[in-house]
Structures are given as C-alpha cells and as structure tokens.
Amino acid sequence: MALERQPAGGAPSRPISRDQSLNCLWQGPARLGESPLWDTRRNRLFWIDCLGQKLWSANADGGDPRSWNLPDVIGSIGLCEDGRLVVGFARGFALVTAGQGGAEVEWIGNPDPDNPGTRLNDGKVDRQGRFWCGTMNMDFMATNAALFRLDPDRTWDRIDDGFTVSNGIAFSPDGARMYFSDSRVDRSYQYDLDKATGRLSNRRAFLDTTAYEGRVDGATVDAEGCYWAALFSGAAIARFDPDGTLMQKIELPVSCPTMCSFGGPDLDILYVTSATFVLEEDELARQPLAGALFAIEGLGAQGLEEPRFAIPG
C-alpha cells in the first residue's frame, strides 16, 4: 500500500517540572507503540505500532507524519547503513525499504522456526553494526524465549535463553556492556560484550523491578552511560546509573509507556511510545493519550547517535 500522510495534532505541551516539559506529538492511538528511533541522516523519527502492523515516521516536532502498512506483527526496528531498516517481525528477520510506493520487505529468515509459541520482540543495533533481538512467549507464561544476534552477513546465533519476554536491550557508550530485561519476571541483566566477536559473558543482575511500580520494557542509554527505561504499567520513565541506582523518575499521563530513546537535532529530546492493548474501556477513558507518542524536553541529558546495521559491500 502506498505511503499514507496523517494530519499532525498532538496535545499541547505541559510542564513536568520547572525545567522540563512533555508534549504529545502524535495521539494515535497505537495498540502497541514501540521502537522510537531517530535517524540523524534524515532528521526524522521512526516508530512502530507492533500489533497494528505499521511503521511511522515524523519530523522532530511530530510534523509531516507518514505511515506504511507492514505484512506482519513487528517487534522492533533498527537503522541500516544503506538507508533501509532491519526489522524483527513475528515470523523472522527482514530488511525494509520505506518508500513513496509503500514498504518493500526482503526476508532474511526465522531464527526459531521450531518454537511456534514465540515471536521476535525487542531489538537494537549494537555499536559494531550487529542486530540483537529477543523473542517473547506470546502467552506471557513459558520460559521458552531466547536472545539472538543477527550479523551483517545475515547469519544469526542463539546467544542466551530461558526467558519469558525479551525487553530492555541497550548498549553502553563504549559498546562493551549490554543490558537486557526479562520483563515478565521483573529482572534486568548486564552482560560483558566482546566487541570484536559479539560474544556475551558474565551475565549478572542489574535491576529487580519488583521494587518499583511497573516493569522494564524498552530502554536506551545516554551519553553518560545512564540507563533510561519505560516502566510498563508504571506510568513512568526511570533513569538508572550503570550500577542500577535509581537517579530520576518522570511520571507520565499514560500507564503503559513502552520504550524511550533520544533524538532531535541535538539528541536531547526523549521520545516515548505507549500502548493501549492491555487497557480496559474505563482505563482508556481515564487515559485519553494512551497509545500516543510523547517528547520530553529539558532533561539535561543527551543521547547517542543510533548505530546502523552493517551491510556488506
């Protein structure tokens, strides 16, 4: 289907504190908004509606919104060196070209074809150009989800397993540490990442979110190495230092934020997606902005440019 242009029309900005403000850039609503991603080359933000099977893009302030229909449930996206997007669809990895005539999909393969009760979920490109993506148990029950690494030669490896819902993937500024969350059991981990080989080692506890309202969903790391996470069912974004100490908590007007990332011309705007699919009618009535895309400014933090999936040749 051809590219669709949607009218802008977010809610007005409102102050969070004396120096910070929150603005609704796109009201949606998405069923499951995810993967906000700033492309510095195009000066545009990309994000997805996983269950709505749509890719979205807009300017830094939410202007000129565009959307593309996709052929499958989509878990996550990453930028590619050649301008395409690397994608974790429910049925497997793919490369997507979002153009004027619609979205063209080049399928790579399904890393876990013998496990039909799972699908690909959270994913992120590391600083060496590899795409990491975890699966999730679609009933949120069994520990049959795994973490995969897709390399630029389009081969993949199963790196770790025994999870329920993979989330929270992010990388330290030097690329030597990886963060990962199993959100259904309220556990987040750190790994040491061998930058040359892509091997993970020394998995250790990072966060136990039973101490907080909500659980870690999507996440990012800022230029100082602090970890920012959307607290799903917790109505907040939380910033943790690299040792897991809570530094800051930003309350939101929606209960189910799903992911956050930095973008904008100076990489100092925190974009936040949200979801509606778990909310009952009365909850939706109390949260008119559920499923929207938000921008938080004035945080005093700056993100890092998103890495790109390496394309050989």
Side-chain angles (χ1 to χ4, degrees):
M1 184 174 178
L3 173 152
E4 302 171 12
R5 294 183 183 270
Q6 303 291 333
S13 141
R14 69 180 181 89
I16 300 174
S17 68
R18 185 177 65 180
D19 302 314
Q20 300 168 4
S21 64
L22 179 143
N23 186 36
C24 174
L25 301 187
W26 174 83
Q27 291 192 28
R31 291 185 65 199
L32 178 53
E34 280 283 5
S35 253
L37 198 66
W38 179 257
D39 186 342
T40 56
R41 296 179 186 174
R42 286 180 272 207
N43 288 315
R44 290 188 68 86
L45 181 74
F46 290 87
W47 74 98
I48 57 176
D49 182 348
C50 298
L51 301 180
Q53 299 181 201
K54 277 202 171 187
L55 169 69
W56 288 88
S57 176
N59 294 333
D61 61 359
D64 189 29
R66 308 174 186 182
S67 69
W68 296 263
N69 291 329
L70 297 171
D72 195 8
V73 169
I74 177 172
S76 52
I77 57 174
L79 301 176
C80 292
E81 280 290 353
D82 65 359
R84 289 184 287 179
L85 298 172
V86 58
V87 174
F89 281 112
R91 75 180 83 167
F93 295 119
L95 299 173
V96 171
T97 302
Q100 292 290 333
E104 297 179 10
V105 179
E106 179 183 349
W107 293 99
I108 295 175
N110 186 345
D112 205 9
D114 299 324
N115 200 353
T118 64
R119 69 164 175 86
L120 286 171
N121 194 45
D122 190 62
K124 193 74 68 74
V125 178
D126 72 15
R127 311 215 184 280
Q128 289 70 46
R130 300 170 290 234
F131 185 57
W132 296 78
C133 193
T135 55
M136 60 172 281
N137 177 271
M138 290 187 286
D139 293 326
F140 307 110
M141 297 294 292
T143 56
N144 60 345
L147 173 65
F148 295 90
R149 187 194 68 232
L150 176 67
D151 292 329
D153 65 0
R154 305 190 187 189
T155 61
W156 55 79
D157 285 300
R158 188 187 190 99
I159 304 300
D160 204 354
D161 54 25
F163 306 113
T164 306
V165 177
S166 300
N167 267 314
I169 296 175
F171 301 92
S172 60
D174 64 1
R177 183 187 303 142
M178 177 177 169
Y179 296 89
F180 178 83
S181 175
D182 187 348
S183 57
R184 295 304 293 190
V185 297
D186 290 289
R187 296 289 186 273
S188 296
Y189 308 100
Q190 290 179 342
Y191 295 85
D192 292 329
L193 171 59
D194 186 310
K195 293 186 283 186
T197 65
R199 294 192 184 97
L200 295 182
S201 62
N202 189 25
R203 188 176 94 179
R204 55 205 181 268
F206 175 54
L207 298 174
D208 178 350
T209 51
T210 57
Y212 306 99
E213 186 177 357
R215 60 179 71 95
V216 170
D217 199 325
T220 191
V221 169
D222 67 22
E224 296 179 1
C226 296
Y227 184 78
W228 297 73
L231 298 182
F232 191 89
S233 295
I237 299 295
R239 183 192 193 193
F240 301 90
D241 73 12
D243 294 324
T245 301
L246 178 64
M247 302 174 66
Q248 185 178 8
K249 191 175 180 183
I250 303 166
E251 303 293 337
L252 298 173
V254 295
S255 62
C256 296
T258 53
M259 190 172 182
C260 56
S261 69
F262 285 94
D266 298 316
L267 298 177
D268 60 353
I269 302 171
L270 190 70
Y271 293 102
V272 181
T273 49
S274 62
T276 59
F277 77 102
V278 295
L279 302 178
E280 301 293 340
E281 287 188 15
D282 60 332
E283 295 174 303
L284 290 170
R286 291 194 300 268
Q287 300 177 44
L289 295 180
L293 169 74
F294 301 94
I296 304 174
E297 300 186 61
L299 292 168
Q302 188 173 42
L304 297 161
E305 184 174 349
E306 289 288 342
R308 296 173 188 270
F309 185 65
I311 301 292

